[in-house]
Amino acid sequence: MPHEVRHEPAIAVLLPCYNEELTIAEVVRRFRETLPSAAIYVYDNNSRDLTALKARAAGAIVIREPRQGKGNVVRRMFADIDADIYLMADGDGTYAPEDAPQLINILQTERCDMVVGTRRGVTDDAGRSGHAFGNRIFNSLYKRLFGTDFTDIFSGYRVFSRRFVKSFPAVSGGFEIETEMSVHASQLKLPVNEIALDYGRRPEGSSSKLSTYRDGARILWMFAMLMKETQPLRFFGAFAIFFMASSLTLMTPVLIEFAQTGLVPRMPTWVLSVGLLLLSTLAMVTGLILDSVSRGRAEQKRIFYLSVPSGRVERRERTSETPKAEPGKTPRAA
């Protein structure tokens, strides 16, 4: 009779790095001890120190990505690597490799497409007060705009299924890539999960690559662009309401004066209010049209996502115990 053959999933550990020579060797070593069967890839993003050399000496497969920015690195990693389970972390040692089996176990047992290792206390102290404040603001804004699937959208410790990786478009260039991942999962309503993990600090001499104001502005811009792409009716509807309110505010006194005197002495104000009314109508129509386009794109993304093998289905193989067909009968497929 047929029996199920369980195959060990191929695990790829992905470590995007930029000037992490102080920590990368230790990170690679700990991942090798924790996940001995996994292939460990370090993508060096134009480091000016010995990051690549130390990663290679520690046993990692080192690949260089010349386009600067974490988003560019992630896009390259997801395109290059073929595996069943992808685990992404940072090379700075702030995420504990010993937590990796727990993340992978949740991905498999809960049949998720992404599991996020949220950082305990990150909104209280992320190493810098500006980062902590930004985490609170952006996580709250994400919940209002895109849903409540995630509580730490900037965590870099994540595990993905093959289905997620090969269907994720990855258009971001920098640190906003984690936001794009979260929105992709929320838009397609993919099965996701979170687990709270301890978040370490960088060793002395190692500094964060984040710029509080520059990267904060880029993330805010990414929020706006993703909302335009995924929720155009809501995005353009906000402009329509603003233009409508402005138009009515300017138009009302002119109409009252016209009703009383039959004259329109403030013609420029009337022309401006009519123009704002036309802009409001145009914004609303644009939102309605793009909403239909966005729904069609979401359906296409979903279909493509479903076309990628999940990697979770156990294959069945014939064995010597498979019964032979009786004369005149067709054997059933295993």
Side-chain angles (χ1 to χ4, degrees):
M1 60 182 295
H3 75 277
E4 294 179 351
V5 178
R6 294 179 181 271
H7 296 267
E8 275 300 314
I11 302 173
V13 176
L14 310 178
L15 303 173
C17 287
Y18 174 62
N19 292 341
E20 302 291 1
E21 68 173 357
L22 296 178
T23 56
I24 187 59
E26 178 67 11
V27 171
V28 171
R29 182 189 65 79
R30 290 166 63 187
F31 269 117
R32 290 185 67 190
E33 292 178 353
T34 305
L35 301 171
S37 63
I40 302 175
Y41 299 87
V42 170
Y43 274 71
D44 179 34
N45 196 204
N46 300 317
S47 296
R48 296 187 298 272
D49 58 12
L50 301 178
T51 296
L53 184 62
K54 292 194 173 184
R56 189 175 288 110
I61 302 169
V62 179
I63 301 170
R64 180 175 174 269
E65 170 50 54
R67 292 187 179 90
Q68 196 65 42
K70 186 174 183 179
N72 293 319
V73 177
V74 170
R75 179 165 51 251
R76 175 79 179 277
M77 292 190 302
F78 283 5
D80 286 354
I81 308 304
D82 191 22
D84 297 316
I85 296 174
Y86 299 77
L87 185 144
M88 187 178 74
D90 291 340
D92 56 13
T94 52
Y95 299 111
E98 292 74 20
D99 292 327
Q102 191 174 3
L103 290 168
I104 293 173
N105 181 61
I106 293 177
L107 184 84
Q108 293 179 306
T109 57
E110 299 293 330
R111 304 178 73 82
C112 300
D113 283 304
M114 178 168 65
V115 179
V116 182
T118 61
R119 299 164 291 176
R120 286 196 183 100
V122 69
T123 56
D124 300 322
D125 180 12
R128 288 159 61 178
S129 58
H131 291 182
F133 176 75
N135 271 285
R136 288 195 297 270
I137 294 297
F138 285 122
N139 279 298
S140 298
L141 184 60
Y142 183 92
K143 290 179 182 179
R144 290 179 177 274
L145 296 179
F146 302 107
T148 58
D149 290 327
F150 302 98
T151 59
D152 184 8
I153 60 171
F154 299 132
S155 173
Y157 205 5
R158 300 178 181 232
V159 178
F160 311 95
S161 69
R162 175 183 173 82
R163 211 176 233 181
F164 183 97
V165 166
K166 297 307 180 183
S167 67
F168 176 56
V171 299
S172 305
F175 282 102
E176 63 272 21
I177 187 68
E178 282 96 355
T179 304
E180 188 185 354
M181 290 176 181
S182 302
V183 172
H184 178 70
S186 295
Q187 182 190 23
L188 298 187
K189 297 179 175 59
L190 305 183
V192 296
N193 211 322
E194 290 185 323
I195 179 173
L197 302 174
D198 290 328
Y199 182 62
R201 291 184 178 274
R202 287 175 169 270
E204 187 176 351
S206 176
S207 59
S208 172
K209 312 305 183 299
L210 282 171
S211 171
T212 301
Y213 298 105
R214 182 193 63 199
D215 289 309
R218 291 177 65 178
I219 292 167
L220 191 60
W221 178 256
M222 175 57 68
F223 268 51
M225 292 300 99
L226 288 172
M227 187 176 179
K228 177 180 72 71
E229 295 296 325
T230 62
Q231 303 179 46
L233 183 58
R234 192 176 178 187
F235 181 83
F236 287 99
F239 285 99
I241 292 173
F242 172 77
F243 290 137
M244 177 66 75
S246 301
S247 174
L248 292 177
T249 301
L250 295 173
M251 185 183 293
T252 301
V254 178
L255 289 174
I256 292 175
E257 192 169 3
F258 175 75
Q260 294 174 344
T261 64
L263 301 175
V264 184
R266 292 186 289 177
M267 184 60 68
T269 302
W270 174 254
V271 172
L272 177 60
S273 65
V274 172
L276 289 172
L277 183 61
L278 291 175
L279 283 176
S280 174
T281 304
L282 180 62
M284 181 56 68
V285 172
T286 301
L288 288 170
I289 294 173
L290 291 181
D291 185 64
S292 297
V293 174
S294 177
R295 287 177 180 273
R297 289 181 60 195
E299 289 172 359
Q300 289 180 339
K301 285 182 181 180
R302 182 76 184 182
I303 291 171
F304 183 77
Y305 157 81
L306 292 174
S307 70
V308 178
S310 67
R312 293 191 294 253
V313 179
E314 295 170 350
R315 292 177 289 176
R316 296 173 182 267
E317 297 182 357
R318 290 182 179 273
T319 68
S320 59
E321 297 178 359
T322 304
K324 296 181 180 180
E326 296 179 13
K329 293 185 178 180
T330 303
R332 296 178 62 185

